[in-house]
Every structure is written in structure tokens, then in C-alpha cells.
Amino acid sequence: MTKVLLIGSPNSGKSLLFNRLTGLSQKVANFPGITVDVATGKLQGMDDVDLVDFPGTYSLKAISAEEKVAVAQFEKALEDNEVEHVLCLIDATRLEKSLFFTLQVIRECEQHGKAVTVLANMIDVLEANNLSIDLPALEAAIHTRVIPISARSGKGLADIAEQIRAARSAGAQARRPHLVDTPDELLRGTAHQLAQRLGPRGDVLVRTQNRLDAFFLHSVTGGFAFFGIMYLLFQSIFTWSTPAMDAIEGSLAWMADGIVPLIGNSILQDFTADALFSGIGAFLVFVPQIFVLTFVIGLLEDSGYMARATLICHKPLRYFGLTGKSFVPMLSGVACAIPGIYAARAVDSPRKRLLTYMAIPLMPCSARLPVYALLIAAFIPAETFLGGLVGWQGLAMFGIYFFGMFIALAITGFVSRARKDAFDDLPFVLELPPYRLPGIKPLLRNAFNRAKHFVVKAGKIIFAVTLVVWVLGYFPNYGADLGQSWLGHLGRVIEPLFAPLGLDWRYGVAILTSFLAREVFVGTLGTIFGIEGAEENMVPLVQQIQGSDLTIASGLALLVFFAIALQCVSTMAILAKESRSGTLALKMFGAYFVLAYAVAFLVYQLASAF
Amino acid sequence: MEMKPPPEATRTLWSLRRGEHCAITGYDDLLAEAYKVRLMEFGFYPGETVSCLQSPGFGAPKVYRVNNTIYSLDDEIADHILVESTPPRD
């Protein structure tokens, strides 16, 4: 088996080309320490050749630790005897952007005796605008074959396999080295001159792009467009995902109804119903949201709009140590932290990505909604004023939603100032790619890969924790009474921890189980208070809580506790996987628990005083 | 007392308004060496002509054209790129 590496600068159409060249046969992996995917697939028409898609980069001179990993992996791959050819992709419409990097790649290939071919993509865009680049002169200048292609239309793609075959029969040694000892400075100057001399003349493409930018970046029209598009993105997470989420829940319930009665052993029956089906359902239900959000973000990225959205919200987020690229992950986090954490891959600066990770779990996600609804209904008066337009309960819901966002920004602002030099950073230089029509198939494939990654990587952790909580809640009395289970006993053991918030063991147990998913808090309290279906109809549970010893001060403390605490095993699992650091997930869990507890204690004390 | 305008050489890329053009004269000493190299890789060479295409409101990063590529830079970077004014492109 031989390998061909595909490398190119960002926004040069590499993903689309890779998908075109490999079809459906793809495997996605990561380099240790970085979040960027490395996809491998069989080159169509050459079954004995694997095409490896390297992360897009502007230069082989890395400036962040993460870039260094990617560059080191490229250099390591060149030492691999199985690698026989490197395809270097450039954007023919913007030659000056790619040529320095191309020369660096050619030099590396010469040093390692590997064949190299340059692919000049978007040749169709040049032709459509009566523009051209001087390909023969470019080939002569860089002593390398340059194939004009269009990844979108497929033009020139057949020539790639032909070139790989030709290079294989000629042998890499047939190439005479020209750049082996050329330093970067000289390459940079050469690239600059070549781009000026051989690149497309005229600026029709830039003018078209600038006309659209004048609309999308205008203070008024750009603002409306931004809010409209972000509203659609946010809606897509909820609305487009809901039918699939309902279908998953319905299918699992249908399967459980069919399978569980067939099981003779009662423990195995309860295990299958509660741990297996509920456990699997608890994380499978997130898959549609991940798929839809990845697809919509891909649409925005490929269309060129995402870069403009990043620019629009960069300034206010920068004040809190974040970047414009943090906005979409944080907005996604308002629906669910899991797709938000996946979306944070787009944040290229490791420092700002870490801060984005810290902000996302504090966004008021939809799983907090049932908890807020229960506590607000129980403790906040239902009185309204201004003719019914404004009510205390609505204000409380509004307040607790924005409280989470406020805490998120306060934390990132504080950490970014306190740990100024602690993490790698990258300058905010954002390439604004041309506006283009996105290719749907690669986006669907990417969304599928992301959803699969979630199921395979996070599913195991989530299921293991679900299993532990089920065992604790089921034994030793076989699920007869949650209060007398090991979990109930554990609740009594930790009762002193929550007593300073005015909470007894029942709330301690509900907080413990809500680690599976925050909304489980409502169901657990329902079980403890002996109310069936509390998740669907909260009124009897609200009345029970109102009739219990719980004070308003404790209710408010619980509200702020849930606004801050990282009570979600799925979020922690995916945070550990995406950040490549289980320690980070555990540290965040611990820190947010301590902060949530401290703020809840403060609120309890203040509310008790009045 | 009459105020003298600052010398042309001290202008930075960030000071460009929409539609203005300039030539890069260099970088100030505060910009990290790695960032200078990266900027040059993007095409921001000393001597290169740069146009300011968009200057969105509220201090948002500005949009610059270098050759046929368009970049957005915020003041943390653009304020370290030294420029001098040039006549508009044709």
C-alpha cells in the first residue's frame, strides 16, 4: 500500500477536492494534541493508494504548538517509505497567498526524495471571469508539474491519477532538486515575485466580494443579516433536530416495550429498560443536534459568511479574552453544550479555544430549562404587572438565563487577564474567503463523521456513568425505593454538604443524579416525592415542593447552583475528548462546582437575611 | 501653538479609513517576530500596497486587500504595521 499526501492552505478547496478524489471511503483520525481531523481515503481509480488529507496551513514555519504538531507530522510522513507523492493544492485565483507555502512543500519533498505535484484549483472561476495564470511559466519557474483543476466541477481531476502513475514509473529520483538548500527568506521573495508576474491580472473577483462585504459588514444591513442568520442557526439546532430526536426517543421506547417484557429475570428486565435503553437514549438523543449544527456551520463556512460573522462579533468578545470565532460555539451552547464544544474546533488560537471551552458549559442550555421552570414555579410568585406584560416568573427566567452568560464572560475575562502568557495564541488575521455556493455532499459527510465521533468516543463514557448511577439507585432493594437505595444513603452522607444551602438529602440525591443530565433533577425529585411523570406535568411536584420545608432562599440557591455547576456527563465526556485532556474536564467540573456552591451559599445567606 | 501633524512614517495600518491606500514600510518593535513572519506569509511585505476595503463600526476589525486576497485585522495587529499613504489604485 502506498500513500499520497494532500496538503494546502486554508480556503483553497482542499476538503472538497479530497471528497472528490476519495468518494465515500474515508477514515477520520486526529494527531495527538490537536483537534484538527486527518482524513484518509482510497484514491479513486487507484485502489492501492491511500490519500491522506493534512490540516490546512499557511506555512511550514509554525508559530503555535498546535501548528508545530501538524507540521512535524507532515515532516514525519515524508520520512515514511510508503509515502510516494505529495499533492500541494493552491488557489489559482489568489496565487500570492499560496506560492510561498508551495515552495516550502517542494523544498521538503526534494529533501526527502518525494514526488510533488501542484494542483491549481478554481481554474473554472478564473475562466468564468476571463482571467488566467501563466501555467507553463509557473511550471518552468518551480520545476514542478502544475495541473489546473476545479474541485467543484471535476475538471482536471482525471489528470491527477495519471500524474501519480507517471511519477511512479519515472521514480522520484528523476526529479532534479532545485530548492533543497534555499532558506525561507529567499523562498518568500521568489514566491512574491512569481505571484506578481504570473498571477491573474485584474480585480474583478475582489470587486464582487467587496460589494457583498459592503452589505454584510455594514453597521446596519450587516447587523440585520447577522442576527437573521444567527437566528436561523439557533433555530436549526432546535427545530430541525426535534423530529429526529423525537424519532430516536420513540424508536428506543418502542424497542424497549418490545424487548423488555420478553426478559424473564426482573433485575435484567429493569437493567435493560432503565440502564440500557435509557442510558443509550440519553446520549443518542444529542446526535441529531450535532449533525444539524455541524451541517449548518459547514454551510456558513463554505459560503464564506462565517468569516464575516467572526469579524462582526470579534471586538466585544475580545474584551473577555475570546475571539469572534467563539461566538457560534457559545451560541450553540445555548441549545446544548455538546455541539457547542464541537463547534469550538473553528477557534484556531489554542488559548482562545480553551477560553471558549470554559464559557460554553455556562451558557443557559436547554437541559437547564426544566430545572429553572420547576424552581421558578415553586418559589417565584406568579404575579404580573403592567397589564400582564411583565411578571416576576418571566423576569426570573430572563435573569437566570443572562446570569449564566454573565458568569461565562466574567470567568473568561478573568482567566484571560490572570493567565496572560499561559497558553499559545495566534494573531487575529482572518482571511475573508470569496462568497461561494457550498457543496452539500462533503458537508453531509462531515456532519455524519462528527455525529459518529460523538457516538463512538463519548458514548462509552456516558454509558459507563449511567450504569454506575443505575446500580447505586437500584440496589440493594431492587428499585423499590430510591430513598433506601445506595444512592439514597449517599444522599444522606452528603447531606451536610448541602445543608448550608438549606437543602436536605432528597435534593442532594437529585443533584447527584442530575449529573447524567440536568433535567433528571426533576424526574428524581418526582420519584422521591412519589409523583409519576413529573417531567411532563410539574404542577403536583411544584405543590409538593411548596408544601415541604424548602425555603425561597434555598430555591434561589438551587437556581444559581444549576446555572453554574457543570452537571452533565455528556458535556464532560466530549470536553475531555475534544480538548484531549481529561484533566481539563475534571478541573472544570471541580472549579465550577466550587464556584456554584459558593455563589449559591452567598445567595442563600443574602435571601435568608431579607 | 499650532499642532504639527504626526510624521507620515508613524502612520499605522489601523489608521487607514475605508477607500484609503498605503504602502507598508515595516513593523514596529512591539510585534512578535513570529507574527511578523506570519504577516509576510499572508502578503503584508514591506513595500506592498494595501487598501482598506471596509471599516465596520464599533471598532470591529477592518478589512484590507493585499494583492487579490482580502484579510481582516484587528487593532492589536494592524496598529503595529507601519505604512505610508499612496495614491489610489487605477
Side-chain angles (χ1 to χ4, degrees):
Chain A
M1 182 62 67
T2 55
K3 289 178 191 165
V4 171
L5 309 184
L6 176 63
I7 193 162
S9 53
N11 298 312
S12 54
K14 196 161 60 67
S15 301
L16 184 58
L17 176 65
F18 179 77
N19 278 287
R20 278 272 193 176
L21 292 176
T22 58
L24 291 168
S25 65
Q26 293 179 16
K27 282 185 293 184
V28 180
N30 292 102
F31 292 141
I34 61 171
T35 53
V36 185
D37 282 336
V38 180
T40 306
K42 292 257 177 285
L43 192 63
Q44 285 187 330
M46 296 183 80
D47 283 346
D48 59 335
V49 176
D50 271 343
L51 185 66
V52 185
D53 179 19
F54 265 73
T57 177
Y58 287 103
S59 164
L60 291 182
K61 192 175 175 69
I63 63 174
S64 75
E66 205 161 79
E67 284 181 350
K68 281 174 189 156
V69 172
V71 171
Q73 289 291 338
F74 175 66
E75 285 167 352
K76 192 176 159 195
L78 288 179
E79 287 166 10
D80 183 349
N81 289 332
E82 287 188 338
V83 173
E84 65 174 33
H85 206 122
V86 175
L87 300 172
C88 181
L89 187 67
I90 62 172
D91 178 351
T93 65
R94 294 171 296 164
L95 214 51
E96 72 286 346
K97 190 192 86 167
S98 321
L99 267 188
F100 169 57
F101 175 64
T102 304
L103 294 179
Q104 282 183 315
V105 171
I106 292 171
R107 182 186 59 193
E108 292 292 317
C109 290
E110 286 182 351
Q111 284 170 354
H112 292 86
K114 304 291 181 191
V116 58
T117 300
V118 174
L119 309 175
N121 192 20
M122 301 185 206
I123 211 76
D124 54 332
V125 179
L126 285 183
E127 288 168 356
N129 290 280
N130 294 320
L131 298 169
S132 64
I133 56 174
D134 190 341
L135 283 175
L138 182 61
E139 283 186 326
I142 62 177
H143 306 282
T144 303
R145 171 86 196 275
V146 181
I147 302 176
I149 63 159
S150 165
R152 183 164 304 281
S153 70
K155 182 177 180 177
L157 301 193
D159 297 342
I160 297 173
E162 203 58 45
Q163 172 65 11
I164 292 169
R165 282 193 200 98
R168 182 183 279 179
S169 17
Q173 296 310 318
R175 181 189 171 86
R176 201 155 55 84
H178 292 86
L179 302 171
V180 167
D181 298 318
T182 315
D184 271 353
E185 289 68 29
L186 207 57
L187 288 186
R188 197 175 291 124
T190 307
H192 187 53
Q193 286 169 11
L194 287 176
Q196 298 282 332
R197 190 158 59 86
L198 308 174
R201 308 260 171 236
D203 57 2
V204 60
L205 297 173
V206 173
R207 282 177 198 271
T208 309
Q209 185 174 339
N210 196 37
R211 272 197 294 275
L212 288 168
D213 277 342
F215 175 83
F216 282 113
L217 297 178
H218 188 272
S219 300
V220 178
T221 55
F224 278 114
F226 176 80
F227 282 109
I229 290 168
M230 289 304 136
Y231 176 77
L232 280 178
L233 181 140
F234 191 64
Q235 274 298 309
S236 72
I237 307 171
F238 281 116
T239 320
W240 300 358
S241 315
T242 305
M245 292 167 84
D246 290 345
I248 287 172
E249 281 184 322
S251 305
L252 285 170
W254 178 77
M255 283 165 70
D257 287 346
I259 293 170
V260 171
L262 303 177
I263 302 169
N265 184 299
S266 66
I267 297 177
L268 207 57
Q269 206 174 47
D270 290 341
F271 168 79
T272 309
D274 299 333
L276 210 58
F277 279 105
S278 300
I280 292 170
F283 73 87
L284 277 189
V285 80
F286 293 118
V287 170
Q289 283 190 334
I290 293 165
F291 184 90
V292 168
L293 184 71
T294 308
F295 179 73
V296 175
I297 286 177
L299 278 179
L300 294 179
E301 278 175 349
D302 279 16
S303 67
Y305 183 74
M306 188 61 95
R308 277 74 187 179
T310 296
L311 188 159
I312 287 169
C313 46
H314 177 71
K315 178 80 176 177
L317 287 175
R318 196 183 81 180
Y319 185 76
F320 299 100
L322 299 161
T323 162
K325 291 178 182 176
S326 308
F327 182 78
V328 167
M330 288 168 70
L331 180 74
S332 311
V334 176
C336 175
I338 294 160
I341 288 167
Y342 273 121
R345 284 185 179 199
V347 183
D348 51 359
S349 158
R351 173 187 173 84
K352 290 178 175 109
R353 194 184 319 123
L354 180 66
L355 291 166
T356 308
Y357 285 149
M358 294 172 80
I360 291 168
L362 293 160
M363 292 289 109
C365 69
S366 53
R368 286 179 166 101
L369 197 61
V371 181
Y372 292 163
L374 175 75
L375 294 171
I376 287 172
F379 294 106
I380 307 294
E383 288 170 23
T384 58
F385 42 95
L386 293 178
L389 278 177
V390 184
W392 287 115
Q393 291 189 340
L395 281 175
M397 186 63 90
F398 181 82
I400 197 69
Y401 254 67
F402 277 87
F403 175 75
M405 294 181 194
F406 168 78
I407 291 284
L409 294 176
I411 285 176
T412 57
F414 172 76
V415 173
S416 70
R417 282 165 179 77
R419 304 286 308 275
K420 272 198 166 162
D421 303 315
F423 315 102
D424 263 341
D425 203 359
L426 286 173
F428 185 82
V429 181
L430 180 72
E431 184 191 343
L432 296 186
Y435 292 94
R436 294 181 187 128
L437 277 176
I440 300 299
K441 270 189 189 171
L443 295 180
L444 285 172
R445 190 168 298 139
N446 187 36
F448 174 78
N449 284 339
R450 190 65 57 83
K452 189 175 149 195
H453 176 273
F454 171 72
V455 173
V456 174
K457 300 287 180 182
K460 286 178 247 174
I461 303 173
I462 299 166
F463 183 68
V465 175
T466 307
L467 194 63
V468 170
V469 174
W470 180 81
V471 168
L472 290 175
Y474 190 77
F475 293 104
N477 54 2
Y478 305 103
D481 182 0
L482 186 60
Q484 295 307 314
S485 68
W486 288 334
L487 200 61
H489 290 298
L490 194 60
R492 288 184 181 84
V493 170
I494 62 162
E495 191 171 26
L497 178 68
F498 290 104
L501 307 181
L503 303 172
D504 62 27
W505 68 271
R506 294 171 296 188
Y507 296 93
V509 169
I511 288 171
L512 282 178
T513 57
S514 71
F515 183 56
L516 296 177
R518 291 178 178 93
E519 65 268 30
V520 172
F521 178 82
V522 178
T524 306
L525 277 185
T527 306
I528 291 172
F529 282 110
I531 296 164
E532 285 289 323
E535 298 92 332
E536 283 78 35
N537 180 15
M538 287 185 189
V539 176
L541 181 58
V542 167
Q543 288 166 348
Q544 281 278 352
I545 293 173
Q546 285 170 334
S548 71
D549 300 333
L550 203 70
T551 62
I552 293 177
S554 295
L556 293 174
L558 264 176
L559 265 180
V560 295
F561 179 86
F562 270 98
I564 300 173
L566 211 172
Q567 288 289 108
C568 180
V569 63
S570 306
T571 303
M572 282 193 61
I574 212 64
L575 190 60
K577 291 289 174 194
E578 281 295 286
S579 66
R580 306 281 184 277
S581 169
T583 318
L584 174 74
L586 288 172
K587 276 183 181 171
M588 277 177 59
F589 174 76
Y592 286 175
F593 180 86
V594 171
L595 182 68
Y597 187 89
V599 178
F601 179 73
L602 194 68
V603 166
Y604 178 73
Q605 293 298 328
L606 284 172
S608 300
F610 290 102
Chain B
M1 196 172 79
E2 192 181 337
M3 295 287 285
K4 282 186 181 176
E8 179 66 26
T10 61
R11 273 196 87 181
T12 67
L13 190 61
W14 184 250
S15 70
L16 253 66
R17 286 186 292 269
R18 184 181 171 187
E20 274 194 288
H21 309 268
C22 69
I24 296 173
T25 57
Y27 307 98
D28 73 15
D29 295 338
L30 296 173
L31 192 64
E33 191 58 34
Y35 287 10
K36 287 180 197 172
V37 170
R38 181 54 55 90
L39 283 168
M40 283 195 270
E41 286 163 1
F42 283 135
F44 291 86
Y45 294 95
E48 192 61 72
T49 303
V50 181
S51 323
C52 178
L53 297 182
Q54 304 289 336
S55 180
F58 311 109
K62 293 182 184 181
V63 178
Y64 302 98
R65 174 185 171 185
V66 188
N67 295 305
N68 271 338
T69 310
I70 297 176
Y71 293 101
S72 172
L73 274 68
D74 71 358
D75 55 342
E76 283 184 347
I77 293 294
D79 230 5
H80 297 291
I81 303 174
L82 307 176
V83 300
E84 61 185 13
S85 300
T86 57
R89 290 168 193 261
D90 296 332

